[in-house]
Amino acid sequence: MDRRTFTRALASLALPSAAASIPLLPSLARAAPLTRAEHDALNKGECVRRAVDAELESGVYLGGVSYCIAEAPAPFVLDMLKDVSLYKRILALTLEANPVGTKGKDQLVFFKHGGKLGTASYTMRIQPPDPSGVIRFWMDPAFDHEIEDIWGFVRVEPLAPARCLATYAVLCDLGTVLRLLFGEKVRDFALDTPEHIRWVAADRYSASQRDPEPEAQPEYALPPP
C-alpha cells in the first residue's frame, strides 16, 4: 500500500462529529464503530484512542487516531492552533517548536522532542485549516531530520456554539532502533494530543470570556490653556 492510499484509510478512521453524541448511529457503525464505553468516555471529556500500525512502501509506521471534546468554539480552537508558541503545551515531550519560514501558504516549524534518554528533531510543514476544519502536516525532508518521516492531520468540528470535537491522526517512521526502543511510548504521548488541545483551549477560551477585549475609548482633545 502506498502512502496516499493509506492516508485515505487513516482519514476514514476519524469520526464524524455525530460520533460525539449518543445514540449510536448506523453510519458511524459502518465507518468507525465506537463502543458504548467510548461514547461515554468522549461525553465525559476523556480521550478515545485507536492505535494504527502500517508497513508502507516508504517504511514501517506507528501511530493512531485519537479524539476528545473541547469546551470551546471550533473557530476559536482552529485559530489557537495557528499559534506556534502553544505547541510545547499541546505536543508532549516537545523541547522546541520554532517557526523557521514558509512554503507558499504553509508554515515551516522546527521541532525537537525528547527527554533524558535523547532527542530527535525535524522540520514540519503545516497547512492552514481547510474549509472542513482540517490542518494537515508532514515532515519536510528538505531539512535535516533525525527521524525517517511523520505526517498526519488535526480536525476540529463544531458540536455546539462553544463545543467541538478535536481529532488527531498521526503516523511516524522513527527508524528501526528508535521504534524498538521507544515506539510505544512515542505513540502513547502522541495520542494525548487532543486531550492537551482540550485543556489549553478550555483555559484560553475561559480567560477570553472573563477578560474581554476592552472597548476603544474615544479620544477627546484637551481644551486650550
Side-chain angles (χ1 to χ4, degrees):
M1 184 182 292
D2 62 25
R3 177 166 163 170
R4 177 175 296 178
T5 302
F6 196 81
T7 300
R8 291 196 294 268
L10 182 66
S12 73
L13 293 174
L15 306 178
S17 58
S21 59
I22 300 291
L24 300 172
L25 300 177
S27 59
L28 173 60
R30 289 194 299 271
L34 283 176
T35 66
R36 176 71 61 172
E38 288 173 326
H39 274 269
D40 291 343
L42 273 178
N43 282 320
K44 287 188 289 187
E46 298 174 10
C47 188
V48 171
R49 302 156 175 258
R50 298 288 179 87
V52 176
D53 296 291
E55 292 190 23
L56 307 182
E57 293 175 359
S58 52
V60 178
Y61 290 76
L62 61 83
V65 185
S66 53
Y67 324 88
C68 202
I69 292 175
E71 302 297 335
F76 181 91
V77 176
L78 286 169
D79 191 59
M80 180 190 83
L81 292 175
K82 298 175 186 177
D83 186 351
V84 176
S85 69
L86 295 176
Y87 288 180
K88 290 175 68 174
R89 296 179 61 190
I90 292 172
L91 300 170
L93 298 180
T94 299
L95 303 175
E96 296 182 35
N98 301 315
V100 293
T102 59
K103 281 190 175 180
K105 295 182 179 180
D106 301 344
Q107 189 165 31
L108 297 172
V109 180
F110 171 82
F111 284 98
K112 178 181 282 188
H113 303 287
K116 293 180 180 179
L117 297 179
T119 62
S121 61
Y122 56 89
T123 297
M124 191 83 84
R125 184 168 176 174
I126 304 173
Q127 291 187 330
D130 70 13
S132 63
V134 175
I135 301 169
R136 293 177 175 82
F137 58 82
W138 62 92
M139 187 188 80
D140 191 326
F143 295 84
D144 291 340
H145 49 93
E146 296 172 325
I147 62 173
E148 297 300 320
D149 196 12
I150 181 170
W151 46 278
F153 64 87
V154 179
R155 184 171 70 192
V156 180
E157 296 179 277
L159 299 177
R163 201 174 202 226
C164 63
L165 178 67
T167 301
Y168 180 74
V170 66
L171 284 174
C172 55
D173 179 358
L174 300 173
T176 302
V177 174
L178 289 178
R179 184 178 72 254
L180 292 175
L181 291 176
F182 306 115
E184 289 307 316
K185 289 186 180 294
V186 169
R187 189 205 309 271
D188 286 345
F189 281 120
L191 296 184
D192 284 339
T193 299
E195 191 165 15
H196 297 170
I197 291 173
R198 176 173 70 90
W199 294 340
V200 176
D203 181 56
R204 291 175 68 85
Y205 183 63
S206 177
S208 74
Q209 298 302 104
R210 291 194 306 268
D211 303 310
E213 290 286 334
E215 292 185 9
Q217 298 299 315
E219 296 183 2
Y220 297 97
L222 293 175

